[in-house]
Amino acid sequence: MKRRAFLVGTVLAGATLLGSLLPAPGLTGAAAAASPAKVTFIQEWPVADGFWIPWVLGKDKGFYAEEGIDLDIVAPPTVADTMKFLGTGRANVAFTTVMDVIFAKEQGAPVEAIGRYGKENNWGIISQQGKPYTVAELKGKTIGIYNDAWSKAQLALMLKSAGLTLNDVNMVTAADDTVPLLLQKRVDAITGITNAEGTEMTTMGKQTPEFLAAIKHGVPNTPILMFAGNQAWLKANPQLAKAFMRATEKSIRYAVEHPDEGVAAFGKAYSKAYDATFIKQQWADTVPLLAPVDGRSLQMDLAVWKELLTAIQAQGIVKSPLPAEQYFSNQYLP
């Protein structure tokens, strides 16, 4: 399986994106009516995963074409390239993480979150089936974790809820995947999300893992994944951006209601990188985070953003965050 860290340390690699902003493609007005407008949609990961099922299926069903959009779903060369593509205008919209948006904004990149993917933070502590832990019981335990600031910050907040600190646990860093550490019994528990590491425990480990939800122990309930747009493109193409979000909401709803059809469309599009068992289970694990799909499903909440920014500032991840309103906008939602 792949690394599911939520903060890419080299997200911008020191690039000054404002200085290298390229003209963003996209048609408006009469030109858009005459022919579909190409919208370049950069993904969060170099290899296709089940999270993409809604727009893969939506493109196949013609939902984007109905909105006058020729959707180009692009995988980045590396995990660090998603926000580079978006910030420089080589992509119009992105499927990315909340922390990547925050760090891109800190670097001055012209990006903005325009919708959430999922309704809650599904990160937490995962352990072997039949071996659940309370937060207090993690004291002295060995935990597999990724080497990113937000994972460590969330673990620190969880431990704090039981009067513990990171010094009270033994952390083993996984460069690529925490799940093998747990299956090989090299650690007592791992950090991860229900529809990635949790999915892998089910498919590779052949078990139903125990899950200790972070949001029940002091961690902000901010969805990890979201949609973002290049601000110059959004400003120049507001109606096209709204059309993209309408088609995306419709695609998510349809994929949730027709899971087998979604998995089949994904398999057709990405047959060379297709693990049928994993993708089917991953989508089954993702659907509860999205359903039911309604008019508020993609809408972001100011209070939740403020809570997240307060938490990461307290943990020293971002020293001087911007006002919460500068990170996101709901104006492009249906």
Side-chain angles (χ1 to χ4, degrees):
M1 184 36 195
K2 59 201 175 186
R3 181 173 179 255
R4 272 290 164 200
F6 312 125
L7 171 59
V8 180
T10 56
V11 63
L12 297 180
T16 305
L17 295 183
L18 286 171
S20 59
L21 183 63
L22 301 177
L27 301 175
T28 58
S35 61
K38 182 177 180 180
V39 174
T40 301
F41 186 23
I42 190 76
Q43 304 301 294
E44 94 294 8
W45 200 257
V47 179
D49 60 41
F51 299 149
W52 306 3
I53 281 177
W55 36 99
V56 172
L57 178 59
K59 181 177 180 178
D60 189 59
K61 299 292 292 186
F63 298 157
Y64 290 92
E66 290 170 2
E67 293 286 353
I69 293 173
D70 175 14
L71 187 67
D72 187 16
I73 302 170
V74 179
T78 74
V79 70
D81 288 315
T82 299
M83 298 308 283
K84 293 179 187 177
F85 272 59
L86 187 66
T88 57
R90 284 177 284 175
N92 311 126
V93 288
F95 180 55
T96 186
T97 73
V98 62
M99 292 305 300
D100 281 335
V101 171
I102 290 172
F103 265 71
K105 294 291 287 185
E106 187 179 39
Q107 295 286 333
V111 301
E112 183 175 50
I114 56 174
R116 64 181 182 177
Y117 182 83
K119 300 177 182 179
E120 65 179 34
N121 181 350
N122 62 318
W123 184 95
I125 300 296
I126 295 170
S127 55
Q128 296 267 12
Q129 182 175 340
K131 295 184 178 180
Y133 291 104
T134 64
V135 176
E137 289 170 343
L138 293 177
K139 184 174 182 178
K141 297 296 187 294
T142 301
I143 300 176
I145 190 170
Y146 297 112
N147 189 29
D148 66 281
W150 185 224
S151 289
K152 290 181 179 178
Q154 289 183 107
L155 179 57
L157 289 169
M158 288 188 73
L159 294 171
K160 184 180 179 180
S161 71
L164 303 176
T165 70
L166 292 177
N167 292 328
D168 290 309
V169 298
N170 303 307
M171 291 183 289
V172 176
T173 301
D176 181 67
D177 188 2
T178 58
V179 171
L181 294 174
L182 184 57
L183 294 179
Q184 295 165 13
K185 298 183 179 180
R186 295 167 57 191
V187 298
D188 299 300
I190 58 174
T191 62
I193 58 177
T194 55
N195 54 345
E197 287 79 11
T199 300
E200 192 177 356
M201 287 292 292
T202 301
T203 56
M204 181 189 294
K206 309 299 181 184
Q207 60 179 279
T208 301
E210 306 291 344
F211 182 67
L212 184 63
I215 58 175
K216 294 182 179 181
H217 302 281
V219 175
N221 192 10
T222 310
I224 293 163
L225 295 164
M226 59 184 49
F227 307 98
N230 175 285
Q231 288 179 305
W233 181 83
L234 292 170
K235 184 177 180 180
N237 302 277
Q239 296 308 314
L240 188 54
K242 290 179 181 179
F244 169 80
M245 294 308 291
R246 279 197 302 271
T248 299
E249 183 189 81
K250 184 176 182 178
S251 298
I252 293 173
R253 180 184 297 110
Y254 191 90
V256 165
E257 294 173 352
H258 304 83
D260 291 340
E261 194 173 339
V263 172
F266 183 91
K268 182 173 68 174
Y270 298 103
S271 58
K272 293 182 180 180
Y274 180 55
D275 181 337
T277 300
F278 180 84
I279 294 300
K280 184 175 182 178
Q281 184 62 51
Q282 186 178 40
W283 186 238
D285 293 338
T286 301
V287 165
L289 303 172
L290 302 171
V293 182
D294 55 35
R296 295 182 57 86
S297 294
L298 277 65
Q299 187 170 334
M300 292 172 288
D301 186 271
L302 178 60
V304 172
W305 271 91
K306 287 182 176 179
E307 184 182 7
L308 172 63
L309 293 168
T310 298
I312 63 176
Q313 184 176 24
Q315 292 292 323
I317 297 175
V318 175
K319 293 183 179 179
S320 300
L322 301 170
E325 298 89 342
Q326 295 187 29
Y327 291 95
F328 75 98
S329 173
N330 286 319
Q331 73 180 84
Y332 304 103
L333 295 180

